[in-house]
Amino acid sequence: MKILLLDGYTLFQEDIAWTYLRSFGEVVFHDRTNRDNLSTLDTDVDVLITNKALVGIPELDHFKQLKLVVVSATGYNCVDIKACAAAGVPVCNVPAYGTFSVAQHALSMLLHHSNQVAVHDLSVRNGDWSSHLDWTYTLTPIREWHGKTMGIIGMGNIGSCFAGMAESLGMQIIYHHTRDLQLPNRRFVDLETLAQTADVISLHCPLNDATDKLINQGFLSNMKSSALLINTSRGGLIDTMALRNALMNKSIAAALLDVLEKEPPPADHPLIGLPNAIITPHIAWISYEARQRIAATISSIIKSFIQGTVINSVS
């Protein structure tokens, strides 16, 4: 068996080795690939492992003996599922690997905004506390989340986990989902009610035709001017220009974003540099523990496939 990793750099860094895959056969590792260099890759590949590299008709035409595609993530929109199905190539993903890591990152962004630990730490390092007349001072407003309302869009594994973290802060939970899940102490509401009611809105839903630019001008205009928007899911859930306008007009307080619709973004991206936009480079998923789970699940998928069973199939 020959295994090709198309874009292994983000998953297999210095702390996690990809060489364990050699127990299944020959392994060819690439930090990054794209369709422009597809013709330079060996054609005799049995298994493709991708994270964001595209797998579609050009790849299926090139890798003619391909038997399995493994997406080293939960989202699999980088793969043409219909084309793979037509070619008889199963596609498998890695679900639920980053539940705690992504929820923790959303929480860290929320607390970063409300407590501004880094700002005050830098002030102390610069000697401001030592030279101050009082025993305490603040450089920014400090907010408490107890008693506030958290609105969650997408009450799946990550949304539910983050809801629990918000509840530990004393927040009330309202949510919108594909249906009412009848959750104790968590109230199902429509999108308009959620926008109008929540002090913080956090996105935890997949990107598809129904959710593309779900957060648009209409939604943002319904939000409280003091409200925050958190997105650790997919950048395409948000209409970028509508959010830029809302932030510049201060019709919402801030956006805390780990994802953008194009990654990496252009240097002149309309949200980068806004004082009320905090942006991290899609790192919510990338904890060591989460990547360990991905590596272990990839191993299980390939082992099961060799034994004649397809697990975690999305095709």
Side-chain angles (χ1 to χ4, degrees):
M1 175 174 284
K2 189 169 185 178
I3 301 169
L4 171 60
L5 287 88
L6 290 172
D7 54 350
Y9 173 78
T10 55
L11 172 60
F12 296 105
Q13 300 179 25
E14 293 182 357
D15 52 356
I16 299 178
W18 56 267
T19 50
Y20 74 99
L21 292 169
R22 287 176 176 161
S23 63
F24 299 114
E26 182 184 353
V27 180
V28 180
F29 180 92
H30 289 278
D31 283 338
R32 304 165 189 86
T33 60
N34 57 57
R35 282 182 172 166
D36 293 338
N37 61 22
L38 180 61
S39 62
T40 67
L41 303 178
D42 292 342
T43 60
D44 57 335
V45 170
D46 301 292
V47 178
L48 281 182
I49 300 176
T50 181
N51 188 284
K52 293 290 185 289
L54 298 176
V55 177
I57 292 174
E59 287 71 27
L60 293 169
D61 288 342
H62 183 79
F63 302 111
K64 294 186 181 300
Q65 69 178 44
L66 187 64
K67 300 178 179 66
L68 176 68
V69 174
V70 181
V71 183
S72 59
T74 301
Y76 48 87
N77 53 312
C78 59
V79 177
D80 187 332
I81 299 297
K82 291 182 179 179
C84 288
V89 178
V91 180
C92 304
N93 73 334
V94 182
Y97 70 89
T99 298
F100 302 104
S101 291
V102 176
Q104 176 179 296
H105 191 78
L107 179 64
S108 72
M109 297 189 86
L110 177 65
L111 296 179
H112 171 84
H113 176 80
S114 62
N115 291 72
Q116 294 291 319
V117 173
V119 169
H120 290 88
D121 171 67
L122 180 60
S123 174
V124 172
R125 290 173 184 267
N126 289 337
D128 296 343
W129 197 9
S130 299
S131 61
H132 209 275
L133 296 176
D134 301 306
W135 58 274
T136 183
Y137 64 95
T138 58
L139 300 174
T140 64
I142 305 295
R143 297 186 67 181
E144 179 184 284
W145 297 114
H146 186 275
K148 305 296 193 302
T149 298
M150 171 65 73
I152 293 179
I153 300 178
M155 191 60 82
N157 289 333
I158 298 173
S160 181
C161 183
F162 183 57
M165 294 179 179
E167 286 170 331
S168 74
L169 299 176
M171 300 188 76
Q172 303 299 312
I173 305 298
I174 61 175
Y175 71 96
H176 184 78
H177 195 69
T178 52
R179 66 186 188 283
D180 185 351
L181 300 174
Q182 302 291 320
L183 301 173
N185 302 316
R186 298 176 181 178
R187 183 164 60 95
F188 175 79
V189 297
D190 59 49
L191 280 175
E192 184 176 2
T193 300
L194 187 141
Q196 293 172 345
T197 306
D199 298 295
V200 181
I201 295 172
S202 192
L203 307 182
H204 298 286
C205 52
L207 177 62
N208 52 43
D209 290 342
T211 61
D212 184 49
K213 293 182 174 55
L214 182 70
I215 309 304
N216 52 30
Q217 191 276 332
F219 184 96
L220 291 163
S221 66
N222 277 321
M223 289 176 61
K224 297 178 180 180
S225 61
S226 59
L228 309 181
L229 176 66
I230 303 175
N231 188 10
T232 54
S233 187
R234 289 290 183 266
L237 297 171
I238 297 175
D239 181 328
T240 296
M241 292 310 299
L243 178 57
R244 174 181 168 83
N245 291 336
L247 292 171
M248 293 187 68
N249 296 332
K250 298 185 178 179
S251 56
I252 70 170
L256 318 178
L257 311 172
D258 185 54
V259 289
L260 297 173
E261 76 286 356
K262 180 176 175 54
E263 297 171 347
D268 60 350
H269 190 280
L271 297 178
I272 294 177
L274 294 183
N276 50 352
I278 296 172
I279 303 173
T280 53
H282 204 143
I283 57 172
W285 72 281
I286 208 167
S287 72
Y288 171 71
E289 292 80 4
R291 288 183 294 110
Q292 276 189 315
R293 294 185 196 106
I294 295 174
T297 303
I298 291 172
S299 179
S300 297
I301 290 170
I302 296 174
K303 182 177 180 180
S304 296
F305 184 75
I306 292 172
Q307 295 172 346
T309 302
V310 177
I311 63 172
N312 295 355
S313 174
V314 298
S315 55

